[in-house]
Structure formats: C-alpha cells, structure tokens
Amino acid sequence: MSRVVVIGAGLAGLAAACHLRGAGHDVVIVEKQAQAGGRGIRLERDGFTFDTGPTVLTMIDLVDEALAQIGVGVHDVLDLTLLDPAYRACYADGSTIFVRHGHEAMREEIARECGAKDAAAFDDFVAWLRRLYEVEMPHFIDANFDSPLDLLRNPAAAARLVRLGGFRHLGPVIRERFDDERLHRIFSFQAMYAGLAPEKALALYAVITYMDSIEGVWFPAGGMREVPEAMARALGRTGVEQRYDTTVTRILTRADGAVAGVETSSPSGDERLPCDAIVCTTDLPIAYRTLLDDLEPPAVLKRATYSPSAVVWHLGVEGVPSDVAHHNIHFGTAWEESFDDLLVRGTRMQDPSRLVTIPSRDDATAAPEGCSTLYVLEPAPNLDVGRVDWAAERPRMKEELLAFLDDAGYPTTIVTDEFVDPTDWQAQGMAAGTPFALSHTFLQTGPFRPPNVERRRPGVFFAGSGTVPGVGVPMVLVSGKLAAARVADYLRRSVMKSVAHRTAAGLGDTVT
C-alpha cells in the first residue's frame, strides 16, 4: 500500500484524500490549523460562531462524489437545506429581484419584475447554460491537461463550445439576451468569482451562473464549516490519519530527486513522515517559496494576474433582521466603473456592490437568541494592483459599512466582530492578499493555468484554487479529484518501473 501525504485539510485536500483512500492508499493529512476547513474554519467568539471561508455552497453532487469514494453519501453526513431564494438582489432604485430555485419559479419572478419578453428569454438562457455545462464539465473542467494541445483531444466538444459562443465575452452575451439591466447584473456578477469584469470574462464562465442560479444554493445545518468537518470525520472513520496544529516545513527527496517524505513541525516537536507522493494544497506561489524554493516557479506564476480581493466583516449583532434572505446582494448604481476601480485603478469601489449573508437565519447555533451573525463582503483590489493604505482605511471602512447596514435595515448593535482585509489574507498565506487566487484570464485557464503536477520533483502534485480547474467550492473539489488521479497514475507507473528493474536484475516480479 502506497502512502500519500496531503498538505492541507481544506476542501481540495479533503476531496483528494477521499479519492486516494477510496483507491486503497494510506493517507495522512497534515494541517497547520487546529481544525479541518482550510479557509473555511469556525471562529467562536462571545457566543457567536462565524464561518471564515466560503458562504455559497453549490453542486453538492461533487461533495457526494468525493464521499462516495469512501462509502458515504453527502446526505448521510450533512443535513442540507436548499435555499429558496438563493439570493435577494437589491438595487439602488429600491427594487428587488429574488433569484428563485427552479426554472418555473424564476421565470415567474422575471415575468413579474421585468416583463414577459425577458421571461421568455429566460427559457432559452437556461437551455444555453445547460448545454455549456454539459460540454465544459467533462471535457474542460473535470479533466487533467498535459499541454494546450489537449484542448483538441475532443475536437467535437471544442467545436461545440465555439458554436455555443463560449469564447465571446460574458457581458455582451447577457445583454443580448435580456432587456432589463437588473438581470444583466444577476446573471453576470459571477464573473467576479473568476476574478474578471463581465466585459472581460469569457462567456464560458456562465457555467458558474448555472451552478448557483440553476442547480441551486444549499446550506448545511451547523454552518458551512460543517462541510469540511463532516468530510474529515468520514475520512477518520476509514483510518485516514489527520495531524492538526502541524506544519510541513520541508519536502524530503531521494537521491534521484523523487519524493521520499515530509518534515513537519508541531507543538510536540519535529518529525519526518516517509511517503511515496504528496498532494500540496498550499497557495502555489507560497508553496514554491517555502517548500520548493530550489525550483523556479512555472512561468505563468512569474507573470500572474490575480483576482480582486475582498474585505469581509464578521459581525455578531443584537436583533434579527426581517424581510431578508440568507444571501443578499446590494448592487450599487455604478457597474463597469466599479470593476475598473478594482482591476485597473487599484482603489476601493467608488459605488460599491456588497454581499450580506446571514448564517444565523438558517443556523440557530450561530448566534444567541435574539441575535444574528452577519457576513458582509465588499470586493477590494488585491495587493499587487492596490493603492489602499489598509491600516488607515480599516476604521473608515467600518464606519461606511455600518452606515450601509443601517440604511439597508440590518441590525447594527455590535456585540463582537472580526474584520478581514487583503493584508490579513496575505498574512494567512494567500498570494497578492486575495483568497480568490489567479484570475481566469484565457492564459490562466485550463492547460495555461499552473499545472497540478511538478515534474521536476516526481511525486509532488497540487490541488486548490491556484491550479486546475480554478476558484470556487465546486472547482476546488474537482481539483482534489484531479490531483488524486495524477497520484494514482504516478504510483502505478512507479510500481511498474520497480517491477521492470527487479525483473531485469533477475529478482523476479514480486514487489514488497
């Protein structure tokens, strides 16, 4: 049985561990934090519990696929609620549109708020999104690439993606389909997940819109933190060793340069763990700086363009808001200009759009009775392009956000809070101070994105948002699966090579 060390107990690492354990490998997870979750851990303070990572859960079938490798179903370990509405979209003119689950429900919402023409256009839009997803998922997302030529290994799929308009820009495609400007924003803001303005993002990223607006948004009882924690518990029952409060400080190699193990540091002391392969989920630029510092990073990392960052304010407040959804998007008047602020000028948005999530609305354990937890997110420039003095900006921004919350009808009597800006993300080990990694420009997508295998250090593989297929909960789950497939192929070839060497030496074909 081969032994694999997974560095990091975030969703990517946990998914990789599920696939590896299901394939029969001995797996050890090493995590520097005290609990599973990576960027999505629990923060408990003054009776409130906050999720510090992702807030939107879509494509639960990908969680189910990972867990199925170890004989568990997603509904066996998670109590999931389908959020309807998935979002409440609020506009500067005072109007509101709910993103409803289900084709007919959303069609009725559009007809009521935007008119019959846009409602009819929604039918064709849904069909287009499904066709995009059907061609992208198996051929361009859930697939390992060894070179750009692999894009042509299925010419029919590539041709179909072209015919569907996948290589046009998202903003114009959405505008052609709908008259109401409010729908342009609902169905294109997801480009932010890809780190791009809708006018610059390829239309193929409408697949993200499909994932949340069509397939649905879910919330697990106990909060989003329950997803990684449930996966970790399930892995523990299969015998997967999990070492927390433990940092990998060095990758050990054999004389031929291949992986031999890792060196770790923890409060109980330093230790060496032998292994046959490693799945590293550390942010790639940081991994090359700290664990692979003898190697030149891939060229794409040297010229990398990073996604915008975000300010997140976790608030425990007195009071319970009414007439709100779990996820609430407040769009500013400006749209394209806001992306220029973030991506070009490197400033805060002059007219910001913001997300307010209220976990306590569907999780009674998140706040004391009569209180609420608020998660307030405002996109911000990353530290590479940013010109913001965050030490000076933090108090000003808190005042602005508090005034915004008050105007929008949210409770604002603060009991406890945690404010996170790009410098905090950087301190947590995220390049350019963004939790959203490299942006999805064409030359940072698919086979052009940093690869999930380091061929100069045999046995080292990567998973997470910095490698293929990219950013977001669904994508990092897929990344774990793809890394596990790489490991399995490497170990299989290593065994075959060992057998060949032993046979040539007259030692027979038995491997021990």
Side-chain angles (χ1 to χ4, degrees):
M1 181 186 293
S2 299
R3 192 186 209 196
V4 184
V5 167
V6 176
I7 303 174
L11 290 175
L14 293 166
C18 286
H19 286 277
L20 289 165
R21 186 60 179 154
H25 300 292
D26 181 18
V27 180
V28 180
I29 299 173
V30 181
E31 168 58 56
K32 66 181 180 181
Q33 299 185 111
Q35 56 191 292
R39 299 174 190 182
I41 62 173
R42 66 173 67 219
L43 172 65
E44 297 178 345
R45 184 175 295 167
D46 300 320
F48 295 84
T49 304
F50 304 100
D51 287 319
T52 63
T55 61
V56 178
L57 176 62
T58 65
M59 303 302 292
I60 60 170
D61 59 305
L62 295 175
V63 182
D64 191 57
E65 180 184 23
L67 289 169
Q69 308 307 306
I70 54 173
V72 180
V74 65
H75 294 288
D76 296 331
V77 298
L78 289 169
D79 180 7
L80 294 164
T81 298
L82 180 65
L83 298 179
D84 190 10
Y87 301 98
R88 177 179 68 120
C90 306
Y91 298 89
D93 64 1
S95 64
T96 299
I97 296 177
F98 292 97
V99 177
R100 299 294 310 282
H101 177 68
H103 187 149
E104 290 305 316
M106 190 62 204
R107 192 185 197 282
E108 290 176 8
E109 179 74 8
I110 293 173
R112 180 169 54 253
E113 295 294 332
C114 310
K117 183 180 178 183
D118 277 343
F122 182 69
D123 295 332
D124 183 62
F125 180 61
V126 171
W128 176 69
L129 288 176
R130 285 204 174 102
R131 291 195 297 270
L132 269 182
Y133 180 80
E134 288 166 0
V135 71
E136 285 186 56
M137 191 62 176
H139 301 295
F140 304 105
I141 296 175
D142 191 4
N144 275 316
F145 295 96
D146 291 315
S147 83
L149 292 176
D150 287 344
L151 289 171
L152 302 176
R153 63 188 167 198
N154 191 322
R160 189 178 177 203
L161 189 57
V162 172
R163 287 196 302 271
L164 287 169
F167 293 101
R168 296 183 59 201
H169 287 125
L170 181 61
V173 167
I174 300 298
R175 286 198 300 273
E176 287 175 7
R177 291 180 174 274
F178 299 103
D179 289 341
D180 195 309
E181 183 184 352
R182 295 173 298 172
L183 296 179
H184 301 166
R185 300 190 183 191
I186 281 182
F187 295 132
S188 69
F189 81 87
Q190 295 87 352
M192 281 293 292
Y193 298 152
L196 298 167
E199 295 303 304
K200 298 291 180 65
L202 295 178
L204 56 86
Y205 288 115
V207 70
I208 307 174
T209 305
Y210 172 83
M211 290 177 177
D212 60 11
S213 296
I214 307 303
E215 283 294 309
V217 176
W218 299 79
F219 185 74
M224 284 290 290
R225 58 198 173 271
E226 268 298 306
V227 179
E229 290 180 5
M231 293 177 74
R233 288 193 297 269
L235 282 163
R237 289 192 289 269
T238 71
V240 170
E241 183 182 356
Q242 300 170 48
R243 300 184 175 212
Y244 294 100
D245 286 319
T246 303
T247 301
V248 172
T249 57
R250 185 181 167 206
I251 293 176
L252 306 173
T253 58
R254 303 191 312 239
D256 62 359
V259 163
V262 297
E263 197 170 81
T264 67
S265 178
S266 71
S268 60
D270 297 344
E271 189 176 355
R272 290 189 169 194
L273 299 178
C275 66
D276 303 289
I278 294 168
V279 175
C280 178
T281 67
T282 307
D283 204 19
L284 253 64
I286 309 302
Y288 275 97
R289 190 182 311 152
T290 59
L291 298 176
L292 298 164
D293 56 339
D294 60 322
L295 300 178
E296 280 289 313
V300 64
L301 283 181
K302 293 181 179 179
R303 50 176 169 76
T305 300
Y306 288 90
S307 300
S309 184
V311 163
V312 173
W313 198 11
H314 302 281
L315 292 160
V317 296
E318 294 180 358
V320 178
S322 59
D323 300 322
V324 297
H326 189 104
H327 297 296
N328 305 269
I329 304 174
H330 295 263
F331 290 108
T333 302
W335 187 237
E336 294 179 23
E337 299 89 339
S338 294
F339 292 102
D340 287 340
D341 289 336
L342 294 176
L343 298 165
V344 180
R345 288 185 281 271
T347 62
R348 282 186 57 200
M349 295 182 290
Q350 296 180 51
D351 184 21
S353 295
R354 297 168 172 130
L355 169 69
V356 180
T357 291
I358 311 170
S360 55
R361 188 177 185 275
D362 294 281
D363 177 14
T365 68
E369 186 175 355
C371 297
S372 301
T373 52
L374 307 181
Y375 171 104
V376 185
L377 181 149
E378 180 180 312
N382 65 51
L383 297 180
D384 274 6
V385 300
R387 302 177 181 177
V388 180
D389 177 355
W390 286 106
E393 193 66 26
R394 286 171 74 106
R396 286 197 295 265
M397 194 166 183
K398 278 189 174 184
E399 290 182 8
E400 290 178 23
L401 289 175
L402 199 61
F404 151 72
L405 290 169
D406 189 49
D407 289 344
Y410 296 99
T412 55
T413 301
I414 300 173
V415 178
T416 191
D417 74 298
E418 178 78 7
F419 190 90
V420 183
D421 68 38
T423 62
D424 297 305
W425 299 122
Q426 184 182 54
Q428 292 177 36
M430 300 175 204
T434 174
F436 306 116
L438 280 71
S439 62
H440 285 261
T441 61
F442 179 77
L443 292 179
Q444 294 183 167
T445 295
F448 304 107
R449 202 164 179 82
N452 59 358
V453 53
E454 178 45 80
R455 300 191 187 281
R456 296 168 296 174
R457 183 73 78 247
V460 171
F461 304 89
F462 301 111
S465 56
T467 184
V468 290
V471 180
V473 170
M475 299 303 172
V476 299
L477 289 166
V478 173
S479 82
K481 175 186 176 182
L482 296 178
R486 291 283 198 190
V487 171
D489 182 61
Y490 168 75
L491 294 175
R492 182 170 52 250
R493 286 187 288 106
S494 295
V495 169
M496 292 174 63
K497 184 177 179 181
S498 176
V499 169
H501 285 172
R502 292 174 66 85
T503 301
L507 299 176
D509 58 1
T510 301
V511 178
T512 60

